[in-house]
Amino acid sequence: MRTAALIVAAGRGHRLGGDTPKQYCAVAGRAVLRHAIEAMLAEPAIGLVLAVIHPVDGPLYDAAITGAPGDRLLPPVAGGATRGASVLNGLEALAPHAPDVVLIHDAARPFVPGPVIGAVLDALATAPAAFPALPIIDALWRGAEGVVEAPVARAGLYRAQTPQGFRFLDILAAHRAFSGEAADDVEVARAAGLEVRLVPGDEEAFKITTPADLARARERREGRVDIRTGNGFDVHRFGPGDHVMLCGVAVPHEHGLVGHSDADVGLHALTDAIFGALAEGDIGQWFPPSDPQWKGAASHIFVKHAARIVRAAGGRIANADVTLICEVPKIGPHREAMVAAMADMLAVAPERISVKATTNEKLGFLGREEGIAAFATVSVVYQGEVPQ
Ligand code: MG
């Protein structure tokens, strides 16, 4: 079954206030329309996604979908003067792709859950049309000018949601034949005599209409916290010199550490821990030892670069913990300076940075004072949705 999703995004929707149509308002850094598109793309059963947009919204649309997975997303088509005309434009644009069924979805419903889409598609196996709906649970009253006139029986009443699903040729013919203003595509389908099934909706598929709805959408996504943890390890051997660089601090010692850069083993482990949390490779990939520009480089460059990548991805470093393993030199007297140096590089509070040290109990190459090793752990926190 070839399935297409048509997202209706041509409305002006200025009720939210401001100049931006509501489907382009940002929720967790992405336009409402982008969330709606991604909800459809998240369903493997949906082979094509097409948005109908207002003719002047091309630049807004392009900005909204930048970086979206593109292979199933068709270029948008322009809407018409009414919602019905916009849907018809979209259906005509889908016709050459010959889908079997089409889901017509409101751009202002960014969070439609997968099971709702699945229930609509399942119903289309045995019915020409289906849509998600929720039974009315509040008491209903008819009233006018602030005075109640009569109760309305709520039994059998439903609130319609989207996506509304149809066999493609049926709804195309229905829209071509329909004249006038329909509340939704179910009304168009029924006017053509199609049987329409009800499937269970979900409160999560709510529509953004008012500023309170937009705030609710933002709360849903921006309240989320996503924590990533990475670890790093490094070791450098002792060589000639009169000091070692450790966690950004020059520590006087009878040897130096050998390395292509300044051989700051603590900062190298720290940098790798950040890249690990980001799943972005390792320090050797970002700063290849074969590249002469890193010869003798101060390692805070590596740390600062990795921290900038975290910020660019919308994250922040929650804490860093570095353990140095060596018999000599003594770390304790320099611990505070190391914490301050790393806090500065990472642009985080010193309270979030830890430096620990241990000997290797005279065992192995570390015990024989041949070098220094370091472990580091870093947590990166994203508030709201993580850019994929
Ligand atoms: Mg190293």
Side-chain angles (χ1 to χ4, degrees), residues 61-388:
Y61 178 85
D62 290 343
I65 64 147
T66 299
D71 53 333
R72 289 182 291 149
L73 184 59
L74 296 171
V77 298
T82 63
R83 184 186 178 284
S86 294
V87 172
L88 183 55
N89 284 2
L91 293 172
E92 299 286 6
L94 283 174
H97 300 278
D100 300 302
V101 302
V102 61
L103 300 177
I104 303 178
H105 185 56
D106 230 321
R109 296 184 192 270
F111 307 139
V112 54
V116 170
I117 298 172
V120 173
L121 290 176
D122 286 349
L124 291 178
T126 54
F131 73 104
L134 289 169
I136 304 275
I137 50 173
D138 296 320
L140 284 183
W141 290 92
R142 190 183 311 282
E145 290 166 23
V147 178
V148 158
E149 292 176 336
V152 177
R154 67 180 176 219
L157 290 184
Y158 290 87
R159 291 189 283 137
Q161 297 184 318
T162 73
Q164 300 183 339
F166 307 91
R167 291 182 188 154
F168 183 75
L169 293 176
D170 288 348
I171 195 67
L172 177 60
H175 265 283
R176 282 175 177 167
F178 193 85
S179 60
E181 288 271 346
D184 61 7
D185 302 291
V186 165
E187 190 178 335
V188 176
R190 284 182 45 78
L194 300 177
E195 179 195 310
V196 184
R197 294 272 173 85
L198 285 167
V199 302
D202 192 308
E203 289 293 352
E204 200 58 20
F206 67 97
K207 183 175 184 175
I208 295 177
T209 307
T210 64
D213 298 328
L214 188 60
R216 178 183 175 193
R218 287 177 173 156
E219 218 168 83
R220 280 286 200 289
R221 284 302 190 272
E222 292 170 10
R224 288 185 178 183
V225 172
D226 186 334
I227 300 170
R228 310 290 178 94
T229 301
N231 70 69
F233 172 76
D234 195 28
V235 61
H236 282 261
R237 70 165 67 240
F238 285 127
D242 59 4
H243 72 282
V244 291
M245 288 303 296
L246 286 176
C247 298
V249 174
V251 177
H253 188 53
E254 61 200 29
H255 292 109
L257 286 172
V258 180
H260 191 71
S261 65
D262 66 3
D264 190 325
V265 64
L267 294 189
H268 293 182
L270 175 65
T271 304
D272 255 356
I274 299 171
F275 286 135
L278 295 169
E280 284 280 4
D282 62 33
I283 190 171
Q285 286 168 252
W286 284 88
F287 309 101
S290 54
D291 188 334
Q293 70 169 308
W294 309 122
K295 184 165 173 53
S299 296
H300 65 77
I301 294 170
F302 309 148
V303 175
K304 285 177 179 169
H305 185 83
R308 268 199 301 275
I309 294 172
V310 171
R311 288 191 290 274
R316 66 184 170 83
I317 291 171
N319 77 306
D321 180 21
V322 178
T323 299
L324 299 169
I325 309 167
C326 56
E327 306 293 330
V328 287
K330 287 229 171 303
I331 303 302
H334 307 282
R335 190 194 310 262
E336 214 174 305
M338 291 174 178
V339 166
M342 290 194 290
D344 186 56
M345 290 169 214
L346 296 171
V348 304
E351 292 76 23
R352 293 174 179 272
I353 306 294
S354 156
V355 174
K356 313 196 300 300
T358 181
T359 70
N360 213 41
E361 292 289 336
K362 304 278 181 201
L363 295 168
F365 68 94
L366 294 167
R368 291 191 298 271
E369 300 183 14
E370 292 173 9
I372 300 181
F375 288 98
T377 304
V378 164
S379 291
V380 171
V381 174
Y382 298 90
Q383 207 81 30
E385 249 175 44
V386 182
Q388 293 300 315

